[in-house]
Amino acid sequence: MTNLGIAAKIAASSDHVKSGTCPRCSAPVLRARAGRVAALDVVADPQPLDLPGEILARLDGRLTWRLITTALGIQRIAWRSPTVPTTDPVIADHTCPPQPIQEVLL
């Protein structure tokens, strides 16, 4: 197999979703490498967002992504442009819930 064949296989599967858990908070997450040229490692919450939820996520500084399911049932994560309407579910970057802060004894 040539290097070109390996590169084609990597490019074809680069944005495929892999389910897992967050190592910090153990919440379920979806992982993928979104993009083909300058790919970003995405760790996103699996729950789809409605429009108000997407707006709140954006205001919180989180990126939003399209969760695309192909005709073969393969899920992919792709960049979400907020100005272009989509019929795909929208998910947001994962953020761990706040950890309790220990009070300082005086």
Side-chain angles (χ1 to χ4, degrees):
M1 182 175 279
T2 65
N3 285 342
L4 184 60
I6 293 172
K9 284 186 175 184
I10 291 170
S13 66
S14 65
D15 56 356
H16 290 194
V17 173
K18 296 167 192 73
S19 298
T21 58
C22 175
R24 183 171 178 223
C25 68
S26 300
V29 294
L30 301 176
R31 297 177 188 275
R33 183 164 287 193
R36 300 251 185 226
V37 177
L40 294 173
D41 287 328
V42 177
V43 179
D45 291 327
Q47 298 83 12
L49 301 172
D50 55 359
L51 185 59
E54 181 179 4
I55 292 170
L56 289 173
R58 294 291 234 162
L59 289 173
D60 194 32
R62 298 165 60 193
L63 296 175
T64 55
W65 306 93
R66 291 178 22 215
L67 183 61
I68 301 168
T69 304
T70 65
L72 298 174
I74 299 169
Q75 290 187 317
R76 298 174 181 255
I77 290 180
W79 176 257
R80 162 78 168 121
S81 175
T83 59
V84 179
T86 182
T87 58
D88 299 316
V90 176
I91 57 176
D93 281 340
H94 172 71
T95 55
C96 294
Q99 299 293 321
I101 300 172
Q102 182 177 359
E103 292 186 32
V104 179
L105 297 175
L106 298 176

